[in-house]
Amino acid sequence: MSEVIVETKDLHKYYELGKENMVKALQGVSLQIKKGEFIAIIGPSGSGKSTLMHIFGALDSPTEGQVWLDGEEISKKKISGLYKIRGRKVGFIFQGFNLIPTMTALENVMLAVEYSGRKANAKREAAEILTEVGLEKRLGHKPSELSGGEQQRVAIARALVNKPTIVLADEPTGELDTQTSLEIIRLLKDLNEKEGQTFVIVTHNPEVANVCSRIIHLRDGKIEN
């Protein structure tokens, strides 16, 4: 039986907008994500996709319900506790790359290693993962000297370098053209198959979702069957 990496039970998330306006971003979401899965979460804007990912990634806490990440319940953790869990167990890939513009590709990835406390190995580990994503000849280039696809590869390397339990990608191809988008998703799929890394991808793009082995459909904060 495959190991469960993320589990939620009756998950709710509400946001108050003013005194009488309540947004119900998630309404009773229960699911499991197992080790090595390659999953897409899709749905219209406002369906709760990003909210669900933020809770998976210990960036936010639910209003009601329970969440387990790698066997540890994180539903009621304080912000300081969530920060430590994120650093150890979660890798993030964002739509906008979020690279530091004054740093080279190597330095951007090294920074993630250094934050984890492994400064002595930072340069070697960063170079190895950048080579794995096809950027061995671009280590010394800054983001402005890289294409959009290359910048996203740096961001992928940064997310993977600390070997997290799960990688969460929020619209990772949103700023890329169609061809580059497919190249990036195929890269993620190759890493999933080679390393057994668990990926959850939030996307509006059906071509991206169709590469995934399982698709979770959200609408109005609920999973559609």
Side-chain angles (χ1 to χ4, degrees):
M1 186 175 178
S2 298
E3 178 185 356
V4 175
I5 296 299
V6 174
E7 182 173 9
T8 71
K9 287 188 177 178
D10 198 26
L11 202 66
H12 294 256
K13 182 65 179 182
Y14 304 150
Y15 297 99
E16 289 189 17
L17 299 178
K19 293 182 179 180
E20 299 181 359
N21 190 7
M22 180 78 73
V23 174
K24 296 181 178 181
L26 296 174
Q27 302 186 68
V29 173
S30 297
L31 57 78
Q32 288 185 341
I33 295 171
K34 295 181 179 180
K35 182 176 177 61
E37 285 201 275
F38 194 74
I39 292 175
I41 299 178
I42 68 172
S45 297
S47 61
K49 302 186 301 298
S50 293
T51 299
L52 185 59
M53 193 194 78
H54 290 164
I55 292 175
F56 284 170
L59 287 168
D60 201 356
S61 298
T63 305
E64 299 174 18
Q66 295 172 288
V67 187
W68 289 266
L69 177 60
D70 198 22
E72 181 177 3
E73 186 176 0
I74 63 172
S75 317
K76 299 176 177 63
K77 291 278 187 183
K78 294 181 179 179
I79 291 176
S80 59
L82 290 176
Y83 174 81
K84 293 176 182 177
I85 290 167
R86 282 199 307 276
R88 289 186 288 114
K89 298 187 176 184
V90 186
F92 292 98
I93 303 169
F94 300 99
Q95 177 176 338
F97 316 139
N98 289 2
L99 302 177
I100 297 175
T102 57
M103 289 185 169
T104 64
L106 183 66
E107 290 166 342
N108 266 281
V109 180
M110 283 176 62
L111 194 61
V113 184
E114 291 167 359
Y115 277 150
S116 74
R118 303 193 317 281
K119 289 187 178 182
N121 300 322
K123 187 172 183 178
R124 175 179 58 81
E125 292 185 18
E128 286 176 354
I129 192 66
L130 283 164
T131 297
E132 191 168 353
V133 300
L135 292 178
E136 63 274 13
K137 296 181 179 180
R138 311 291 274 171
L139 303 186
H141 290 69
K142 294 180 180 179
S144 62
E145 301 168 321
L146 300 172
S147 69
E150 288 171 333
Q151 289 184 63
Q152 193 60 294
R153 286 172 185 263
V154 177
I156 291 167
R158 181 183 58 193
L160 292 172
V161 70
N162 292 322
K163 297 179 171 58
T165 303
I166 190 168
V167 176
L168 304 176
D170 193 1
E171 296 287 358
T173 63
E175 295 193 3
L176 305 175
D177 61 70
T178 301
Q179 182 60 38
T180 306
S181 296
L182 292 175
E183 289 174 2
I184 290 297
I185 291 302
R186 289 191 190 108
L187 171 63
L188 296 181
K189 184 62 175 172
D190 287 346
L191 292 166
N192 163 256
E193 293 174 350
K194 181 180 177 181
E195 307 292 342
Q197 178 67 62
T198 308
F199 284 89
V200 177
I201 300 169
V202 169
T203 183
H204 283 95
N205 188 335
E207 291 182 317
V208 170
N210 287 337
V211 176
C212 297
S213 52
R214 178 155 68 107
I215 301 174
I216 296 171
H217 297 264
L218 278 184
R219 185 176 293 276
D220 297 328
K222 301 176 183 177
I223 293 177
E224 290 188 315
N225 297 322

